[in-house]
Amino acid sequence: MPDIPLTMVAVLCVAALAAGWIDAVVGGGGLLLLPVLLLGLPGGTPAVSALGTNKAVAIVGTAGAAVTYARRAPVDVPTAVRIGLAALAGSSAGAFFAAGMSTDVLKPVIMVVLLAVAAFVILRPAFGTAPAPGPATPRRILAAIALAGLGIGFYDGLVGPGTGTFLVLALTAVLHLDLVTASATAKIVNCCTNAGALAMFAWQGVVLWQLAALMALFNLAGGTLGARTALKKGSGFVRVVLLTVVFALVANLAYEQWIA
């Protein structure tokens, strides 16, 4: 573990707590946690170590949120696990390519997609407010496996921030879930994407395990609290947080692309 001042360790732990809450409600906790890790780790620490450590922290908070949701929300666990297994494969592949691939070309595309999504959510007030009647069709489940599993899983291993948000949006749109149930399902899938990416980063030996273990405790507390908040407040609250995170993610990507 690198030599990190105690005050910076405290900042990282607080960031892990807040990121866990955000991630449990609507995803996107990496939007906060990854930049803080990149800034907080000593100079000379490889960026891939921040990515790997972020995954080791996030998987704990995501698992805590998933358990909280599964106990109180109507989650189709078998479908979530099938999507999650595809996401595990996708994230493992993405993490394999992460060390050698520039993601700068992806950022403008992601920003356009996010802005289009935000416009859609704003113009469709009923989006995600109520689930569709009846179970999802096999065709929709296959589409969710391909998009939310393989596609977003690959993005999670390659880049990461915003994965939970993309999962919530994809699951709401493809499976016609309400936003709370989509968030609950996304947490199970996100556990798998984190596991796939973390396994690859661990194999590469880039995870700072001691720091990750400490931050994970705070991330777990934030994730559990965030899931309880979403369940209590409902889809309207999740919608507001969703739009806030989407615009924050666009601003962050724009800053990294053209200013930083």
Side-chain angles (χ1 to χ4, degrees):
M1 177 173 167
D3 186 17
I4 305 174
L6 186 58
T7 53
M8 181 52 66
V9 172
V11 170
L12 290 171
C13 288
V14 171
L17 178 72
W21 188 91
I22 294 170
D23 207 51
V25 175
V26 76
L31 172 65
L32 170 63
L33 189 56
L34 185 57
V36 173
L37 273 169
L38 289 169
L39 291 172
L41 293 177
T45 304
V48 70
S49 291
L51 290 170
T53 304
N54 175 59
K55 289 302 175 194
V57 173
I59 193 171
V60 177
T62 302
V67 170
T68 302
Y69 274 123
R71 288 175 174 173
R72 300 174 58 185
V75 183
D76 185 348
V77 176
T79 297
V81 170
R82 278 185 281 175
I83 298 170
L85 291 175
L88 190 153
S91 65
S92 298
F96 179 79
F97 289 104
M101 181 180 291
S102 172
T103 59
D104 288 343
V105 69
L106 296 175
K107 291 176 182 176
V109 176
I110 295 169
M111 281 186 279
V112 171
V113 172
L114 282 170
L115 288 172
V117 165
F120 177 80
V121 173
I122 291 171
L123 294 173
R124 295 284 298 274
F127 178 74
T129 57
T137 63
R139 181 177 296 180
R140 288 189 177 276
I141 292 174
L142 286 175
I145 290 171
L147 176 60
L150 293 173
I152 298 176
F154 183 85
Y155 168 81
D156 189 36
L158 184 67
V159 183
T163 294
T165 306
F166 283 125
L167 284 173
V168 171
L169 291 167
L171 293 169
T172 303
V174 176
L175 298 180
H176 291 173
L177 304 176
D178 65 86
L179 286 171
V180 172
T181 305
S183 292
T185 307
K187 293 290 93 49
I188 297 174
V189 177
N190 213 178
C191 280
C192 295
T193 66
N194 285 339
L198 178 58
M200 187 60 64
F201 287 129
W203 177 70
Q204 294 171 346
V206 299
V207 181
L208 305 176
W209 291 109
Q210 290 177 299
L211 178 62
L214 177 62
M215 293 174 63
L217 295 175
F218 288 84
N219 195 251
L220 175 61
T224 303
L225 178 61
R228 291 176 178 174
T229 304
L231 287 164
K232 181 178 180 180
K233 298 289 187 179
S235 293
F237 172 79
V238 175
R239 175 188 174 87
V240 172
V241 178
L242 172 66
L243 288 172
T244 301
V245 171
V246 165
F247 285 120
L249 183 57
V250 170
N252 179 71
L253 291 170
Y255 175 81
E256 290 179 353
Q257 182 73 15
W258 293 301
I259 299 176

